[in-house]
């Protein structure tokens, strides 16, 4: 009886984690990174709680299968979130590099070329 209640609590916590992953995905899409980071930090204790409960709870094969399925969903959502963030980071990095090159070119032609030379390295 006690194990059944703990199992239900564990399912509820994993469901909260899955829902949180979906919410974080929406936050990333809306570029609300501060709230997403705050939510990620607050979920850490929930992950640890689930890990401890799962370690000491004796599960039936059916329960184990159900939990594994839920964990796979959470893992997939988290991987998608990481890929979204990496794609955004790469995009920002490319835009920054382009902006820096443009700024470098503009800066090269704003001063007296006779006094400082006119060679520009755009590879950096």
């Amino acid at each position: 009886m006690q194990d059944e209640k703990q199992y239900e609590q564990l399912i509820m916590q994993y469901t909260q984690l899955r829902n949180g992953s979906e919410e974080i995905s929406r936050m990333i899409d809306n570029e609300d990174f501060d709230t997403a980071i705050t939510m990620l930090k607050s979920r850490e204790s929930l992950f640890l709680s689930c890990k401890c409960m799962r370690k000491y709870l004796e599960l039936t094969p059916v329960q184990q299968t159900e939990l594994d399925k839920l964990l796979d969903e959470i893992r997939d959502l988290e991987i998608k979130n990481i890929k979204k963030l990496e794609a955004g980071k790469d995009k920002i990095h490319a835009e920054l590099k382009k902006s820096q090159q443009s700024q470098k070119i503009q800066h090269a032609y704003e001063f007296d070329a006779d006094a400082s030379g006119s060679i520009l390295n755009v590879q950096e």
Side-chain angles (χ1 to χ4, degrees):
M1 186 66 177
Q2 175 100 6
D3 282 349
E4 186 64 32
K5 286 182 181 180
Q6 286 180 336
Y7 171 74
E8 289 174 11
Q9 183 180 4
L10 186 59
I11 289 289
M12 183 185 71
Q13 288 180 343
Y14 275 132
T15 302
Q16 287 176 339
L17 288 170
R18 185 190 64 214
N19 294 341
S21 294
E22 292 169 348
E23 183 65 26
I24 289 170
S25 178
R26 284 189 289 277
M27 289 176 192
I28 292 169
D29 291 340
N30 295 331
E31 297 181 1
D32 186 6
F33 301 114
D34 291 336
T35 308
I37 289 171
T38 302
M39 191 168 183
L40 282 170
K41 288 180 181 178
S42 68
R43 292 169 18 134
E44 192 172 325
S45 62
L46 192 54
F47 270 114
L48 290 174
S49 172
C50 288
K51 185 177 180 179
C52 288
M53 284 179 67
R54 192 166 180 174
K55 185 176 183 179
Y56 295 108
L57 191 61
E58 293 186 27
L59 302 171
T60 66
V62 172
Q63 291 173 333
Q64 183 72 39
T65 303
E66 188 176 343
L67 279 178
D68 288 342
K69 182 181 174 188
L70 200 50
L71 267 175
D72 289 341
E73 287 178 36
I74 294 169
R75 191 174 295 113
D76 290 341
L77 287 168
E78 293 296 323
I79 288 171
K80 287 178 185 176
N81 287 343
I82 290 169
K83 287 181 180 180
K84 279 184 191 181
L85 288 171
E86 287 175 346
K89 183 184 104 177
D90 292 342
K91 181 181 174 185
I92 290 171
H93 183 70
E95 288 178 19
L96 179 62
K97 189 173 182 177
K98 184 178 175 182
S99 176
Q100 286 173 338
Q101 286 178 345
S102 175
Q103 185 179 20
K104 189 174 183 180
I105 290 170
Q106 287 177 356
H107 181 67
Y109 292 105
E110 285 180 5
F111 55 87
D112 184 16
D114 294 331
S116 61
S118 62
I119 298 175
L120 175 65
N121 182 2
V122 292
Q123 295 297 325
E124 294 178 9

